[in-house]
Amino acid sequence: MDGAFRKIDIDAFDEDVLHESELYDADPRDPAEVLDEAKQRQVAVRTSLAKSDIGGALSIVLENAPYGPNVDQAKEVTLQTLLTILNTTKSTEIPAVIKALSQDNQDTLMKYLYKGMAMPGWGDISGSVLLGWHEKLTEVAGTGCIVRTMTDRRIV
Amino acid sequence: MAPEIYNLAQTPITSHAFSPDRNQLAVSLNTNDVQIYSRQGNEWAVAETLSEHDKLVTSIDWAPHSNRIVTASQDRNAYVWQEMPDPETGKLVWKPTLVLLRINRAATHVRWSPKEDKFAVASGARAIAICSFDSENNWWVSKLLKKPIRSTVLSIDWHPNNVLLAAGSADMKARVFSAYIKEVDERPAATVWGSKLPFNTICGEYASPAGGWVHTVGFSPSGDVLAFASHDSSISVVYPGGPVHNIRISSLPFLTLTWTSEDSIVAAGHDCQPVVFSGSEAGWQGIGSLDDTTAPKATDGVRSGYGGNTSVGRLKTGAFATFRDADSRGQSTISGSSSPSADTKLLTVHQNTITSVKPYEIQGDQVIRVSTTGVDGNLVIWDVATVTAGGASAMTARLGSTHLR
């Protein structure tokens, strides 16, 4: 029997279908603007890291992080910047740094940790570093933070 | 006062509702039937079974003044049950009346309006059926609230003015509708939600910043404030025209909430314990749990459990140790242990998700006791005043520790 009918996108025939874009408020910024901003942040983060201000660097990169469609390049730059910070932080400093973050930034950091774990072999991602941060972040922000990462449609 | 704990069944309790005098209890034990339990001293015994639905009963509500029960089910029907004398024996029995809901998906939640002349049925058909009694034809008729609902409606709650209805939905929105029925309602007075209220007026639409299905909604006793909890582990308190407070919690999401006074809410869910929030227009915060997880429980001696009350993220105890011992030493702590459940028992009273919290005892304008039922088949009655753990940070640590293992 022909199974092609199983591959028909039935949602296309449903007038009332709920679109991804209706589930969250879109980022009002222009994609090019977002990319510019991400690159500027990369520079600002390097300056902060040079002064070994980890908390400041993390806040810079996590504040207003790019999300939604059409900003893939900005997302990549942001992830790369974030990984630089994660990789340079000494494991003994992590808890204090996380505690100083705002709740919003903690949630965003968790999103990036999962994004990083979903991309094995990409860039200089090291699983043990991400897992170390994940453990410390969960200790501070709880399982609620992980739940929010899963429910939030504003994907970073 | 310690909570009263009753184990009604080994199956999940989908919904519960107390009779007006609280001596009877209607529950659905994850089946097509509704069981009516009566209190006999310290026990609950099945007095009657209401069988009419063909599929799982999803929600039950017992009208306190008119003593009628309404049940909603996945078979897309609702029944109104009334206690009447049996023509032959003269004994009081519950007689069902079918309600024409006109929905093509499961009914998910049902609530009587405060005046008990209407009830609302939430459904998976992206609609809420507002049902009123048509005395000419002697049946219940329904009118559907449809726009702009985009997905299954998961919960509803009536405003005290008998007209406004709050609904939480799987399209991640909590909404306030007008459910004004010309034949039943008098023209409502203006409220903070609006003044002109024809049927299906949308008085407000709210979402939590991180989204998530809205599992539960509730109006404050005055009806001027709306609270809702969503699957992003947060609870939001809405002051129409004013601030919307969003409190993120560090543990698992809430499924159900009830206001206990104008400045206090009890919420419960996947975290297996009822949590108290308190605040005003200036701000809200979690103040603690009704469940003292550190207290020893009389029923099982010292409460133990993996994870314990120590730091989170530990893997070397409990389940992990069980499997490691089984693997490396061929030891099984499960079969040989004197108390097999010791390792798998949660520190909370409820041993699984709490699916329903309702006001149990009201004194003046304060709810002083609430009842909860959950997936563990337990019914627990809590004293609202007994809150453990002070500050929000202390609670964060506690909630986190009871859930991470």
Side-chain angles (χ1 to χ4, degrees), chain A residues 4-105:
Chain A
F5 70 93
R6 292 187 189 281
K7 295 192 174 142
I8 297 172
D9 176 15
I10 53 163
D11 283 344
F13 300 96
D14 185 355
E15 291 167 12
D16 282 335
V17 68
L18 193 58
H19 293 287
E20 182 73 24
S21 57
E22 293 170 72
L23 296 175
Y24 60 90
D25 297 323
D27 195 336
R29 296 172 292 179
D30 182 63
E33 197 185 318
V34 173
L35 181 60
D36 270 354
E37 213 175 294
K39 284 181 177 156
Q40 282 167 21
R41 278 189 199 155
Q42 202 165 21
V43 177
V45 163
R46 273 192 206 124
T47 324
S48 289
L49 283 183
K51 291 185 282 184
S52 57
D53 176 13
I54 308 281
L58 264 185
S59 302
I60 293 170
V61 74
L62 295 174
E63 206 72 55
N64 290 319
Y67 68 89
N70 310 324
V71 289
D72 289 347
Q73 215 187 333
K75 287 181 182 178
E76 229 161 78
V77 172
T78 314
L79 178 61
Q80 198 65 64
T81 316
L82 187 82
L83 287 172
T84 325
I85 306 173
L86 300 190
N87 284 332
T88 48
T89 311
K90 285 196 211 78
S91 61
T92 46
E93 290 172 14
I94 296 175
V97 169
I98 288 174
K99 275 189 197 128
L101 290 177
S102 71
Q103 251 188 341
D104 269 323
N105 288 350

Side-chain angles (χ1 to χ4, degrees), chain A residues 16-17 22 104 107 143-144 148, chain B residues 126 150 209 232 248 250 312:
Chain A
D16 282 335
V17 68
E22 293 170 72
D104 269 323
D107 287 359
T143 38
R148 280 187 285 279
Chain B
R126 307 178 205 182
R150 302 301 308 273
D232 61 343
R248 284 176 232 192
S250 59
V312 290

